[in-house]
Amino acid sequence: MWESKQLGVPVDRVDWCHGSAGRIDEGCRVDCWVRVDKESVREARFEVFGGPEAMQAAAWLADWLADRSVASALTVTGRWLAEAAALPDEARTVALDIEDALRSALAASTEVIDGANDEH
């Protein structure tokens, strides 16, 4: 059984960047919150409106992201996450929502915008 304190909205949202993906009416919505310091993801949290597989994968990824470089975070793909979190085949699409929410949150970070990402 998995368990993570990285699920849910941060209590104090100061210095957190937010992104979201998916739709509840389509079975899964994910909100991602990241705290980026220089070139590292200091902490990540996910608020998941979906089944247990989505929560499992989001919790696993939040734990994995802690203190990783932004460059490492930007390599996360839905396929990689589905395999790393051992999602069953029928639940692998939730990993795409998690990936998209993470990318959206990272794109909202001024640290990423000013330092590691030339697209913005």
Side-chain angles (χ1 to χ4, degrees):
M1 183 78 181
W2 57 270
E3 196 172 311
S4 176
K5 295 181 181 188
Q6 296 350 77
L7 292 178
V9 177
V11 175
D12 181 5
R13 297 180 198 170
V14 175
D15 297 327
W16 289 83
C17 297
H18 174 257
S20 63
R23 293 173 37 143
I24 293 172
D25 63 345
E26 292 178 355
C28 185
R29 177 190 159 102
V30 179
D31 287 84
C32 176
W33 301 82
V34 293
R35 269 191 336 172
V36 177
D37 180 19
K38 298 190 182 183
E39 294 187 25
S40 294
V41 175
R42 290 292 165 214
E43 190 175 358
R45 296 184 63 86
F46 290 92
E47 185 176 24
V48 179
F49 302 93
E53 295 89 357
M55 289 188 286
Q56 172 192 356
W60 185 93
L61 183 58
D63 291 337
W64 183 87
L65 285 167
D67 295 320
R68 298 260 180 189
S69 69
V70 170
S72 291
L74 289 170
T75 67
V76 170
T77 65
R79 181 178 181 176
W80 173 83
L81 176 59
E83 291 172 3
L87 290 176
D89 290 343
E90 63 275 7
R92 288 180 165 238
T93 58
V94 301
L96 297 174
D97 289 331
I98 296 167
E99 173 195 354
D100 289 347
L102 171 62
R103 290 185 182 279
S104 178
L106 289 171
S109 168
T110 57
E111 295 285 344
V112 175
I113 292 168
D114 294 339
N117 188 342
D118 292 333
E119 292 181 8
H120 301 283

